[in-house]
């Protein structure tokens, strides 16, 4: 299998991120990129990065099968004549049954389809991409890697809602998400900071989707996300924490049905809803509109509030780690989150923060910026399956 290639696919609602690895003694990155703007109303683009070179090509594709076809159209560049022996898929929701990387058989795919209502922005697209990849690579091993799996180590009190017990038994519980990102960060800290790996760490995955995770001894013990990927922090278009009484009010006094409320909570809220402008943090940071400022203020406020909560879950704090698109790149958000947090042991060096340095803290608590790599987590899982170790 030394000349085998591993393909990883991370399908979102309007994009497909991909990476190609040579298997060998361990996954070695060959190329990466994404298909973005998957929509019949926008120009879809294929972006390919290889060896420092970046190509951007306009393509014709408005669904995930079309995106995969466009990626395969660059097979000579991506695979270099190697056979694709395995494909790793990010699958957002694994429910209670899937707690480790799993081969995607028809039975498994059927079970995962039943979880689509729990992650409507992601799960259907994840599985559409799975079926397109199976058609394209019928002889390859197809492995699902679940965003919920890492959080199955939560204690009961962090998993349950205060509802009659039958609902918990039916699967209505806090699942947590962004598990592949947290798994990578935890493994990277274990590799580079062994003393810290056994400590109390809060990881803030901040991007268009955003959440925070409390990690002790490398295990997830708490997450800001819950039953779906709506809870906790406000996100690009998702609301984050909300009083369920608000939803009852919308139903009872404004006649909104489930589909209207779902559209509101998943697609029209968060930074986009608060600002009335956009979901994109870069645009909001550059805007003089007071509503943009208020959207950022609320985002920061919720991160700070959840940081206190996650620290309480852990019984203290040894490190705060920022990751994700906003966490890795926005010095402003990191600075505002950490401002006035000396009581918790957090202080930030302005110059290091502005440079997106790995270590930006000056206080007792380590404050770090660590880029995530969900694709490598998937490639490792596929490599393990191909070697028979999985």
């Amino acid at each position: 299998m030394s000349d085998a290639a591993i393909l990883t696919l991370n399908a979102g609602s309007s994009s497909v991120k991909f990476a190609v690895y040579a298997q060998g003694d361990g996954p070695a990155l060959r190329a990466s990129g994404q298909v973005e703007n998957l929509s019949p109303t926008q120009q879809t683009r294929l972006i390919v990065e290889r060896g420092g070179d970046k190509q951007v090509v306009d393509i014709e594709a408005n669904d995930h099968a079309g995106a995969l076809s466009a990626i395969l159209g660059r097979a000579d560049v991506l695979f270099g004549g190697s056979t694709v022996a395995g494909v790793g898929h990010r699958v957002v929701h694994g429910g209670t049954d899937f707690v480790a990387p799993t081969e995607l058989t028809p039975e498994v795919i059927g079970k995962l389809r039943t979880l689509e209502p729990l992650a409507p922005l992601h799960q259907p697209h994840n599985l559409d991409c799975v079926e397109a990849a199976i058609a394209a690579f019928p002889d390859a091993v197809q492995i699902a890697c679940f965003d919920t799996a890492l959080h199955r180590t939560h204690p009961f009190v962090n998993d349950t809602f205060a509802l009659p017990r039958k609902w918990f038994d039916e699967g209505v519980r806090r699942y947590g998400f962004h598990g592949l990102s947290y798994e990578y960060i935890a493994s990277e800290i274990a590799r580079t900071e062994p003393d810290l790996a056994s400590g109390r760490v809060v990881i803030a995955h901040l991007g268009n989707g955003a959440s925070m995770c409390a990690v002790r001894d490398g295990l997830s013990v708490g997450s800001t996300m819950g039953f779906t990927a709506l809870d906790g922090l406000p996100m690009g278009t998702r609301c984050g924490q909300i009083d369920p009484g608000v939803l009852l009010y919308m139903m009872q006094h404004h006649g909104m049905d489930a589909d209207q409320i779902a559209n509101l909570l998943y697609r029209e809220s968060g930074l986009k809803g608060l600002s009335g402008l956009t979901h994109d943090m870069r645009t909001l940071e550059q805007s003089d509109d007071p509503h943009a400022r208020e959207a950022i203020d609320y985002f920061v406020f919720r991160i700070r509030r959840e940081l206190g909560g996650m620290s309480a879950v852990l019984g203290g704090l040894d490190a705060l780690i920022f990751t994700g698109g906003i966490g890795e790149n926005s010095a402003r958000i990191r600075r505002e989150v950490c401002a006035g947090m000396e009581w918790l042991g957090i202080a930030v060096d302005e110059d290091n923060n502005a440079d997106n340095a790995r270590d930006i803290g000056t206080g007792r608590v380590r404050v770090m910026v660590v880029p995530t790599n969900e694709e490598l987590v998937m490639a490792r899982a596929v490599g393990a399956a191909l070697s028979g170790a999985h």
Side-chain angles (χ1 to χ4, degrees):
M1 284 290 183
S2 60
D3 62 342
I6 293 173
L7 173 65
T8 65
L9 297 171
N10 183 342
S13 58
S14 62
S15 67
V16 177
K17 296 179 182 178
F18 64 90
V20 179
Y21 294 82
Q23 169 60 0
D25 295 330
L29 183 65
R30 283 183 176 175
S32 62
Q34 65 177 321
V35 175
E36 62 181 22
N37 298 334
L38 271 179
S39 166
T41 62
Q42 297 187 67
Q43 178 59 61
T44 306
R45 302 194 307 168
L46 169 64
I47 302 169
V48 178
E49 297 185 54
R50 179 182 172 94
D53 294 328
K54 182 176 180 179
Q55 299 177 351
V56 181
V57 182
D58 290 340
I59 61 174
E60 296 295 330
N62 56 22
D63 59 21
H64 293 77
L68 190 56
S69 295
I71 294 168
L72 298 182
R74 300 295 189 277
D76 55 336
V77 174
L78 297 176
F79 307 124
S82 297
T83 300
V84 176
V87 184
H89 300 268
R90 177 190 175 217
V91 177
V92 166
H93 215 303
T96 57
D97 293 332
F98 298 102
V99 297
T102 302
E103 185 170 358
L104 284 153
T105 64
E107 180 183 10
V108 168
I109 294 171
K111 289 182 179 179
L112 295 176
R113 286 285 184 193
T114 68
L115 299 175
E116 288 183 356
L118 306 188
L121 284 188
H122 299 90
Q123 195 89 343
H125 305 298
N126 297 158
L127 299 179
D128 288 347
C129 213
V130 166
E131 293 180 346
I134 290 172
F137 306 106
D139 297 324
V141 174
Q142 308 278 340
I143 300 294
C145 301
F146 301 99
D147 256 348
T148 51
L150 184 79
H151 303 296
R152 299 284 54 79
T153 53
H154 285 184
F156 172 78
V157 292
N158 284 343
D159 247 11
T160 193
F161 297 103
L163 296 170
R165 191 59 177 258
K166 69 173 185 177
W167 294 107
F168 181 83
D169 295 338
E170 188 177 308
V172 178
R173 58 185 72 184
R174 297 184 186 276
Y175 288 99
F177 298 90
H178 292 134
L180 300 184
S181 177
Y182 295 132
E183 181 178 345
Y184 175 79
I185 299 299
S187 70
E188 185 67 4
I189 294 304
R191 183 180 70 85
T192 62
E193 313 276 350
D195 293 338
L196 187 57
S198 61
R200 301 161 299 181
V201 179
V202 171
I203 307 171
H205 178 106
L206 308 178
N208 191 49
S211 69
M212 297 169 72
C213 180
V215 177
R216 183 191 298 121
D217 295 323
L219 299 177
S220 170
V221 295
S223 170
T224 59
M225 280 185 167
F227 179 59
T228 67
L230 278 174
D231 202 4
L233 304 179
M235 294 163 247
T237 63
R238 284 171 270 170
C239 62
Q241 183 275 333
I242 189 169
D243 181 345
V246 173
L247 310 183
L248 294 176
Y249 171 79
M250 291 175 175
M251 293 168 62
Q252 294 169 347
H253 296 280
H254 288 269
M256 295 178 69
D257 62 22
D259 288 341
Q260 291 172 313
I261 289 176
N263 185 66
L264 173 69
L265 300 184
Y266 277 103
R267 296 178 176 86
E268 301 297 333
S269 298
L271 296 174
K272 177 183 176 182
L274 280 171
S275 70
L277 300 171
T278 178
H279 69 278
D280 189 276
M281 180 60 76
R282 294 165 295 187
T283 304
L284 293 176
E285 288 186 348
Q286 295 167 4
S287 175
D288 294 329
D289 190 309
H291 292 162
R293 172 73 260 180
E294 290 172 349
I296 293 173
D297 286 348
Y298 182 71
F299 185 67
V300 168
F301 166 75
R302 290 300 313 189
I303 296 169
R304 289 164 61 89
R305 177 168 171 158
E306 295 292 353
L307 176 58
M310 292 293 103
S311 300
V313 167
L314 291 167
L317 187 64
D318 298 310
L320 168 62
I321 299 176
F322 290 96
T323 193
I326 297 173
E328 295 167 25
N329 297 297
S330 177
R332 174 180 173 178
I333 295 299
R334 294 192 301 262
R335 181 181 68 249
E336 294 187 11
V337 166
C338 296
M341 283 285 187
E342 290 83 2
W343 61 273
L344 193 55
I346 291 174
V348 166
D349 180 276
E350 287 292 334
D351 292 335
N352 287 342
N353 184 46
D355 291 338
N356 294 329
R358 179 180 174 89
D359 275 279
I360 63 174
T362 60
R364 177 189 61 79
V365 171
R366 295 279 298 276
V367 183
M368 305 173 69
V369 181
V370 182
T372 194
N373 194 337
E374 296 167 324
E375 285 69 29
L376 184 55
V377 173
M378 291 188 278
R380 288 169 175 167
V382 175
L386 291 173
S387 68
H390 193 279

